[in-house]
Amino acid sequence: MEFPLGELPKRVVLWTGDAELIEKGRRAGLRTICKTDLENLDRLLREIASAAKGTT
């Protein structure tokens, strides 16, 4: 099933092990993280936490 990634809000983050979906998401302007890239996931979660606290 194809989903139009370009219609998702830009605040959506794709966390997947599917390399093709990662590339499609990036082309659609979404943040994408490979499931095996825990450093990047950790960085993203810290950014989100900082933004939620208003300390960016």
Side-chain angles (χ1 to χ4, degrees):
M1 179 172 135
E2 283 289 319
F3 189 84
L5 297 176
E7 293 181 18
L8 291 173
K10 296 304 176 202
R11 67 181 177 271
V12 168
V13 176
L14 294 178
W15 185 51
T16 180
D18 183 337
E20 184 178 336
L21 184 54
I22 287 173
E23 286 305 314
K24 285 181 181 181
R26 285 181 181 160
R27 284 192 302 267
L30 304 174
R31 287 192 75 170
T32 60
I33 300 174
C34 182
K35 282 190 172 184
T36 59
D37 188 357
L38 298 180
E39 286 182 32
N40 205 4
L41 177 61
D42 181 59
R43 187 177 4 221
L44 173 66
L45 294 176
R46 289 176 191 274
E47 287 175 21
I48 291 168
S50 291
K53 290 179 184 176
T55 60
T56 53

